Amino acid sequence: MTSEPRRILPPVHAVIDQKSLADLIQAKGRDSVVQTVREVIEEMRRSLVIGDDVEVSVESIARLVSTRILTQRESLRCVINATGILLNTGLGRAPLATDAADAVHEITRGYCNLEFDLERGERGHRTQGVEALLNRLTGSEASAVVNNNAAATLIALRALASGREVIISRGQLIEIGGSFRLPEIFEVSGSRLREVGTTNKTRLEDYERAIGPDTAAILRVHPSNYRIVGFTEDVSIPALANLAHQHGLWMIDDIGSGAIAPGYPPLVRDEPTAVEGLEAGSDVILFSGDKLLGGPQCGILVGRSEPIAKIKKDPLMRAIRVDKMSIAALEATLRLLFDHSVANARLPLWKLLTTPVEVLRQRAELIAKVFRDSFALEADVLETTSFLGGGTTPTQSFPSVAVTLSSPFPSPWNTEAAFERALRRGDPAVVARLHGGSLLFDLKAMTVEEDRLLEKAVGKLIVSH
Ligand SMILES: *Cc1c(COP(=O)(O)O)cnc(C)c1O
């Protein structure tokens, strides 16, 4: 074992001054190259500490630095979600089933029949296959798929109410994730917003009074990411749909999170579902593909033939259509949804939802033991509360278990915040939760396979100094 790595390793400036790095400094900026040199030297120092045989000449370090910078995956990377939030837009929402990822891999590596009918040898429709599956799953007459739910809302308002009024309750004028603001979507769609009621109370009479010759539709938006509690009053979908149809209006329902039917997915309460919405009389129901459905990013519209046909004919449809990767992933995901036990076993989100808390506790105990015994960390197990997130019912929580790390944290990461940052920048990146001086790894959104990866990621930061 080499005992004094500091003496053998060259200083950062000696590497930076290497001629071979000059072009890279020009292209990427001095700071970013210096940063990588520091990282490489630090890693070598650790390798030397544990007795690895590494070449420490300035030339070889410069070579490593330039290879690393040139081959770096710049932005999109795998992340271990230790936040306990199952659907986090920042972390890519629902993880795809292996079946869906495999379908993308297979379909996109060569050519495919995206818009070609193989039976007839003529032009086909790109979403025909997934539409048939959606109709079978939800009992809808027709369906359409677009880029995301914001696009679904936009096209529904445009195709069904452009130049006319749409009535919506004040309590449902939502903003989601800072970028989806309903009034702005209205503006872009060319339809006019007609707000009724108050933030906490809207009655059927409020809607009825607002109906005039210019009214085209009633819109219900599931207030996903917030909840008004206390004295609230809302009108049920059957009552709203009934009123809409009496006056020849469309009933549009944005259910947001995309639960198919009660129990699909399991354990999720208080979320409107597509099947119930159709039964209640909605003409068009909108939802996201990458929330509770557990599929790729897309916006799904299901409903009656007439409004869906109007929507599909709108020229904007061409600008918001889904690509072959999303279609491949969506088809594979939808096929899993026909059988409850298949979906529970193969859809990652559903599997995470149904993992018993006792299992989480056992896994947490094992991880905490490794942290304590192998890395000499101050680790413990804590009962936590995890959430669905992703613009779903904010009040719905699940009992969960987390592994905690508390001070002392190993040098040079002497605080929980510094340790959290190092893990976030590590490989794989770990996104954990800071909580009252501790670092929390909530297991609710983690698979068993990721337990070992988490241990490895933490272990990498611990190698003795
Ligand atoms: C999430 C959500 C949206 C936005 O969906 P995207 O697929 O992100 O465009 C719109 N409405 C509701 C009610 C939502 O929950």
Side-chain angles (χ1 to χ4, degrees):
M1 180 155 157
T2 316
S3 55
E4 292 183 82
R6 260 176 235 285
R7 282 226 189 124
I8 307 168
L9 286 163
V12 173
H13 68 80
V15 181
I16 282 292
D17 290 344
Q18 284 291 298
K19 259 213 178 79
S20 61
L21 289 183
D23 285 349
L24 214 53
I25 291 171
Q26 184 96 40
K28 304 274 172 182
R30 192 180 168 83
D31 286 353
S32 104
V33 180
V34 167
Q35 173 73 20
T36 309
V37 172
R38 284 218 177 92
E39 280 168 19
V40 169
I41 291 178
E42 172 63 16
E43 285 164 20
M44 288 192 156
R45 193 182 60 70
R46 284 176 209 197
S47 300
L48 291 170
V49 168
I50 60 171
D52 274 358
D53 189 22
V54 289
E55 210 193 318
V56 297
S57 68
V58 274
E59 295 81 12
S60 68
I61 293 177
R63 229 180 0 257
L64 261 176
V65 166
S66 63
T67 319
R68 180 163 308 183
I69 290 175
L70 292 173
T71 58
Q72 228 160 27
R73 274 222 241 161
E74 299 263 330
S75 55
L76 204 53
R77 299 173 56 200
C78 293
V79 164
I80 292 179
N81 177 4
T83 63
I85 313 281
L86 287 158
L87 290 172
N88 194 321
T89 304
L91 301 182
R93 292 194 185 159
L96 281 185
T98 303
D99 306 67
D102 286 351
V104 175
H105 180 79
E106 196 179 314
I107 292 295
T108 55
R109 277 167 26 119
Y111 297 103
C112 65
N113 63 334
L114 183 62
E115 288 190 357
F116 185 63
D117 187 324
L118 293 172
E119 291 293 322
R120 300 193 192 142
E122 58 192 40
R123 194 177 184 87
H125 298 285
R126 64 173 56 209
T127 51
Q128 202 168 22
V130 285
E131 284 168 20
L133 291 171
L134 283 165
N135 295 342
R136 266 173 59 205
L137 265 174
T138 65
S140 58
E141 288 174 14
S143 48
V145 182
V146 294
N147 184 53
N148 56 17
N149 195 19
T153 311
L154 174 61
I155 191 113
L157 290 174
R158 200 183 120 100
L160 304 178
S162 179
R164 301 180 64 194
E165 270 182 5
V166 177
I167 305 174
I168 181 171
S169 159
R170 279 212 170 76
Q172 298 169 9
L173 278 175
I174 56 167
E175 168 173 330
I176 293 169
S179 62
F180 180 88
R181 311 184 82 185
L182 211 49
E184 290 170 5
I185 302 270
F186 266 93
E187 222 174 286
V188 180
S189 78
S191 64
R192 287 195 309 280
L193 181 63
R194 179 73 205 272
E195 302 166 48
V196 295
T198 59
T199 313
N200 62 338
K201 284 192 186 181
T202 306
R203 304 187 177 88
L204 192 64
E205 302 88 79
D206 296 325
Y207 285 94
E208 200 159 12
R209 265 200 304 274
I211 297 175
D214 252 8
T215 314
I218 294 176
L219 173 67
R220 194 284 293 252
V221 179
H222 179 52
S224 347
N225 57 350
Y226 72 98
R227 179 131 302 186
I228 297 156
V229 285
F231 294 102
T232 65
E233 197 171 319
D234 231 330
V235 187
S236 72
I237 296 290
L240 272 187
N242 194 29
L243 178 70
H245 297 154
Q246 275 171 13
H247 291 83
L249 312 176
W250 300 116
M251 178 65 218
I252 308 171
D253 188 7
D254 173 6
I255 63 169
S257 305
I260 293 288
Y264 281 72
L267 303 178
V268 171
R269 286 170 281 111
D270 300 337
E271 285 290 328
T273 71
V275 166
E276 288 171 304
L278 289 169
E279 279 168 1
S282 290
D283 299 301
V284 183
I285 289 174
L286 322 169
F287 54 95
S288 301
D290 55 356
K291 291 182 181 170
L292 292 175
L293 191 76
Q297 177 190 307
C298 62
I300 296 171
L301 305 99
V302 296
R304 294 194 20 246
S305 313
E306 194 191 340
I308 297 282
K310 272 178 108 93
I311 287 166
K312 284 185 179 168
K313 275 200 212 101
D314 193 289
L316 186 68
M317 197 70 184
R318 176 63 181 77
I320 56 173
R321 72 183 183 190
V322 271
D323 72 312
K324 59 185 173 183
M325 292 196 268
S326 311
I327 294 170
L330 181 61
E331 174 170 348
T333 304
L334 292 175
R335 287 191 188 285
L336 299 177
L337 288 169
F338 285 93
D339 184 324
H340 213 272
S341 56
V342 171
N344 273 334
R346 311 259 281 262
L347 272 180
L349 183 76
W350 291 34
K351 218 166 152 178
L352 295 172
L353 270 169
T354 52
T355 311
V357 72
E358 304 79 60
V359 173
L360 297 180
R361 190 173 297 113
Q362 286 164 10
R363 284 168 48 192
E365 296 287 357
L366 287 174
I367 297 170
K369 190 167 159 46
V370 170
F371 284 179
R372 281 191 303 263
D373 297 355
S374 308
F375 308 147
L377 288 166
E378 200 56 45
D380 218 328
V381 169
L382 181 74
E383 312 249 323
T384 54
T385 304
S386 63
F387 295 91
L388 263 178
T392 54
T393 306
T395 44
Q396 167 127 35
S397 61
F398 303 91
S400 181
V401 181
V403 179
T404 63
L405 284 183
S406 354
S407 105
F409 289 92
S411 150
W413 299 283
N414 292 315
T415 63
E416 74 278 6
F419 203 68
E420 184 269 341
R421 194 180 325 118
L423 277 171
R424 191 156 29 82
R425 293 165 160 189
D427 183 27
V430 178
V431 180
R433 225 158 73 198
L434 290 168
H435 179 74
S438 303
L439 201 53
L440 238 74
F441 304 103
D442 192 309
L443 298 194
K444 187 65 187 171
M446 285 173 54
T447 62
V448 189
E449 293 77 26
E450 287 173 328
D451 290 359
R452 301 289 86 74
L453 293 174
L454 171 64
E455 290 167 5
K456 262 196 189 155
V458 170
K460 271 190 192 173
L461 301 181
I462 302 300
V463 178
S464 65
H465 284 262

